Amino acid sequence: MNKQIMYKSTRGNERLVTASEAILKGLSEDGGLFVPESIPTLDKSMQELSQMDYKKVAYEVMKLLLTDFTEEELKTCIERAYDDKFDTEVIAPLVEAEGAYYLELFHGSTIAFKDMALSILPHLMITSAKKNHIENEIVILTATSGDTGKAALAGFADVEGTRIIVFYPKNGVSPIQEKQMVTQKGDNTLVVGIYGNFDDAQTGVKQIFSDKELEKELLSRGFQFSSANSINIGRLVPQICYYVYAYATLLKEGKIADGEKINVVVPTGNFGNILAAFYAKNMGLPIAKLICASNDNKVLYDFFETGVYDRNREFILTTSPSMDILISSNLERLIYRIAGNDAGVNADMMKALSAEGKYEISAEMKNALADFYGNYATEEETAAEIKRIYESCGYVLDTHTAVASAVYGKYAKQTKDDTKTVIASTASPFKFTRSVMNAIDGKYDAMEDFALVDELSKIGNVKVPRAIEEIRTAPVVHDVQCEVCEMKEVVKNFL
């Protein structure tokens, strides 16, 4: 029997909750994020894991952290999540290109890595509601910088007992990302474009969550809020699985020896995806360096360099919009950890972040970040990397993966470290066709969006994903737009 793992808030609320309660709540009452009391160790050897398929590996990882789910409940959630929504049976293939291993996390229904967690979250949530005898309808409220929104909509559409409202920055996502969201079917879905950037949307959602009056009003009508953002522990836990699976795959294919360490590179905005790799390392996965790759919004790079987190800077719209973020919500879980799990220290820093827009960690905390390396790639470097990899081996990267790939190049050059490296490939190039095709050759800019899709399929020798074929002719279902200050009213009207 696995040790029961309980969850607590990063900001000092002492009440311990079960995994299912943490998933339902999303955010702690004190505004903190839920973290496991302790991080368990993998109880199967890498050799054993290397003989398992994705679903089995996922079960072995998740059972250690979601300890109040029965074996049957967890296996049912996993079966329902990783089915034919994915266009490959392996779920997360590893592709070797130019001396690194690209972990393709974009084979799900919305062709981005968010599918890996958001395919399972609705099932974890509905199971959690039953376990906790919740009669209310669960209202998923989420802000998106482009990918979370569609992946959450696809996961929750027409799931009984749930509704979902997604806010996105009206001019801050790619045309394909927007089309994917506004064509979403499902009577329980609402998509709203806000006049502002992602941080505005995220802050607005957090304010709605902490509005006690609104909470009371909704409860009286049989609704309760939960979150599908990466702050939900039900998003983070499934992300740990694919790093374990990647290692197991390399071992199975004879690319590494058992116990040999690997580096992991992650294009990072909200910090959840690299935090999952950090948790995997803490569970015993042999990871050496965690390489955090930023775009021109390099708030994380500056943080790793100086120990100061400062969001007071210009917000830059880039070709890798899912990383256009200045408030990396999940970093709070790491801050809490390097502060020696001291919720008081963490809470003070988060207070400073919301009041002054910045905080500074101590020298001791900075030393605890030795496993991390941060760097960034400019727009020019990102485009150059797409072109370089395509011309050398015909493999096409999306803009976010190209940021990671370019940063890995800088890391390798600086350190001469030749440790085998896995790069998280977080989106399909089909999601950002114009930026990707322009990087390969400027002549493509004259083509319209869907003609570019077909051209990319031709030059990259890859089939057009189902997710793109579906939206070619899909009608727009959602056309609501609002100011940031109107978000709460929009929510009330929908409910």
Side-chain angles (χ1 to χ4, degrees), residues 284-320:
L285 195 67
I287 293 177
K289 273 283 182 218
L290 296 152
I291 299 169
C292 176
S294 300
N295 64 15
D296 279 320
N297 293 293
K298 57 188 181 62
V299 60
L300 285 165
Y301 164 68
D302 292 340
F303 167 71
F304 284 116
E305 286 293 289
T306 63
V308 177
Y309 191 93
D310 184 358
R311 68 172 171 88
N312 301 311
R313 60 181 73 205
E314 189 198 346
F315 184 96
I316 302 167
L317 289 175
T318 71
T319 52
S320 44

Side-chain angles (χ1 to χ4, degrees), residues 257-268:
D258 195 0
E260 183 182 338
K261 287 191 167 178
I262 61 168
N263 290 334
V264 173
V265 190
V266 187
T268 311

Side-chain angles (χ1 to χ4, degrees), residues 78-98:
I78 290 168
E79 276 301 322
R80 287 185 179 157
Y82 305 111
D83 57 9
D84 59 12
K85 288 194 285 297
F86 287 80
D87 64 17
T88 164
E89 273 181 31
V90 288
I91 308 295
L94 265 182
V95 175
E96 192 173 352
E98 287 301 279

Side-chain angles (χ1 to χ4, degrees), residues 44-52 94 101 243-262 285-286 420 422:
K44 291 277 190 292
S45 70
M46 288 320 299
Q47 223 41 78
E48 287 172 283
L49 290 165
S50 72
Q51 301 309 307
M52 298 179 191
L94 265 182
Y101 297 93
Y243 293 109
V244 178
Y245 179 71
Y247 189 94
T249 303
L250 288 174
L251 183 59
K252 178 183 173 179
E253 292 175 356
K255 304 280 170 54
I256 53 173
D258 195 0
E260 183 182 338
K261 287 191 167 178
I262 61 168
L285 195 67
K420 297 197 177 82
V422 168

